[in-house]
């Protein structure tokens, strides 16, 4: 069994390499949004009932993909629907 000796210089080099890698990970843009959402996630996101979600599927408002018994929804489609249905807030001034 060979014994390997680590010096302070070795440890400093390792520290610098590790710090550089962590910095790259922290600074890199990372995607926090999922591309595909399951029904439960969509229900929570839109605060709607399972029946409403089913109606959105049936009437074609919300596209979906079904794999096995699981239904997936495209996050981008949900965002488009939310933007399309966004209503402008009314500003009331007191006189």
């Amino acid at each position: 069994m060979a014994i390997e000796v680590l010096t302070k210089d070795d440890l400093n080099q390792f520290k610098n390499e590790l710090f550089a890698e962590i910095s790259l990970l922290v600074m890199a843009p990372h995607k926090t949004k999922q591309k595909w959402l399951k029904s439960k996630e969509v229900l929570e996101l839109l605060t709607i009932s399972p029946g409403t979600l089913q109606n959105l599927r049936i009437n074609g408002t919300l596209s979906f993909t079904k794999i096995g018994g699981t239904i997936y929804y495209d996050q981008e489609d949900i965002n488009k629907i939310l933007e399309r249905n966004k209503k402008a807030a009314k500003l009331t001034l007191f006189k």
Side-chain angles (χ1 to χ4, degrees), residues 54-95:
Q54 182 177 4
N55 285 334
L56 293 174
R57 280 195 315 267
I58 291 170
N59 67 24
T61 303
L62 188 56
S63 58
F64 64 95
T65 299
K66 187 172 183 179
I67 301 174
T70 306
I71 300 174
Y72 296 94
Y73 303 87
D74 189 338
Q75 175 74 48
E76 204 170 296
D77 289 345
I78 294 169
N79 291 341
K80 287 177 187 174
I81 291 170
L82 289 172
E83 283 297 318
R84 189 171 55 231
N85 293 315
K86 182 168 61 172
K87 297 187 180 356
K90 293 182 181 179
L91 180 62
T92 306
L93 299 176
F94 295 100
K95 292 185 179 184

Side-chain angles (χ1 to χ4, degrees), residues 40-56:
K40 182 179 178 184
E41 296 166 315
V42 175
L43 292 173
E44 292 171 1
L45 179 67
L46 300 178
T47 59
I48 57 175
S49 69
T52 301
L53 184 57
Q54 182 177 4
N55 285 334
L56 293 174

Side-chain angles (χ1 to χ4, degrees), residues 4-16:
E4 200 170 323
V5 177
L6 293 174
T7 64
K8 284 185 178 181
D9 288 335
D10 293 333
L11 292 174
N12 278 330
Q13 181 182 356
F14 175 73
K15 177 187 78 171
N16 291 336

